[in-house]
Amino acid sequence: MKKTFFSIATVSVLALFSCKDKAKEAAGDTTTTPAAEQSTPAAENKPAANEPKTYKVTFSPDTAFLGKKKEAFVKIKNAKAVALQDPDGKSEGIEFTFDIEVTNKAAMGGYNVYLVSSESRLTLDNGNNITQETGTSVNVEPESTKDLSSVVYKIPNGTKPTTLNLFYDGTRVSVGVTLE
């Protein structure tokens, strides 16, 4: 009887301590690690010395309606801005790239929406409007969605974009742009 009680007590104590260790690991219990194993978050977030500077791009709002009957619904997405430099490290401006998702809200049997990225203008903080460097066009059938991909603007050195102006069917919509 004593051996059985002792065995049960030993197994219970082992189970109790092993469960506590698993619970601590699951709860994210932090333990002290040697200095060689610790890594600082700042070191992980620093870009490599030869990587170009990138900017966080924000559009406000990122969606808009175009057209006299508001038949074209556009959403701006996948925006990127990268600082351009020559081999000597001299700044040559910013390459600003984004995609436009176009949805034709016209009912079936209606007409297509034809959106051309070259008809957009980017207003800079110095008041100038620039046209795209490269881009494409898209023809969207009624009640469907297509992407107008890789619209690229080359922003001159020392300036930043403030507004993206989109045009379609005699209408214009302005979307705010910020780079951080």
Side-chain angles (χ1 to χ4, degrees):
M1 179 78 171
K2 287 183 181 181
K3 287 183 181 181
T4 306
F5 177 72
F6 182 70
S7 299
I8 292 174
T10 305
V11 169
S12 298
V13 169
L14 290 174
L16 181 66
F17 284 116
S18 66
C19 289
K20 279 189 176 182
D21 288 341
K22 289 180 183 175
K24 284 182 182 179
E25 289 174 5
D29 185 33
T30 57
T31 58
T32 323
T33 58
E37 292 179 11
Q38 290 182 350
S39 63
T40 60
E44 293 173 5
N45 293 338
K46 288 184 181 178
N50 60 351
E51 297 237 356
K53 180 178 180 181
T54 58
Y55 298 91
K56 179 183 176 192
V57 181
T58 307
F59 290 98
S60 59
D62 64 348
T63 58
F65 282 98
L66 285 167
K68 293 177 183 170
K69 297 178 183 175
K70 298 197 183 300
E71 62 272 18
F73 179 72
V74 296
K75 179 176 182 172
I76 303 168
K77 59 183 188 174
N78 302 329
K80 299 180 282 189
V82 178
L84 301 173
Q85 295 180 343
D86 66 5
D88 296 328
K90 181 182 173 192
S91 178
E92 293 187 340
I94 300 171
E95 183 178 83
F96 181 55
T97 308
F98 58 90
D99 299 336
I100 301 175
E101 182 180 276
V102 183
T103 302
N104 186 345
K105 295 291 187 177
M108 289 302 281
Y111 50 88
N112 292 1
V113 169
Y114 186 70
L115 192 66
V116 181
S117 64
S118 64
E119 294 179 356
S120 63
R121 299 292 181 265
L122 189 64
T123 304
L124 304 175
D125 57 1
N126 63 4
N128 292 339
N129 288 322
I130 60 172
T131 59
Q132 70 177 11
E133 185 80 13
T134 61
T136 58
S137 61
V138 66
N139 189 16
V140 185
E141 292 81 19
E143 295 187 19
S144 66
T145 301
K146 289 188 180 177
D147 282 341
L148 180 66
S149 59
S150 298
V151 179
V152 179
Y153 281 90
K154 185 175 178 193
I155 301 169
N157 192 19
T159 61
K160 289 195 177 182
T162 58
T163 309
L164 176 65
N165 299 301
L166 301 169
F167 301 92
Y168 173 72
D169 191 27
T171 62
R172 167 190 183 155
V173 70
S174 296
V175 177
V177 182
T178 56
L179 295 184
E180 298 173 8

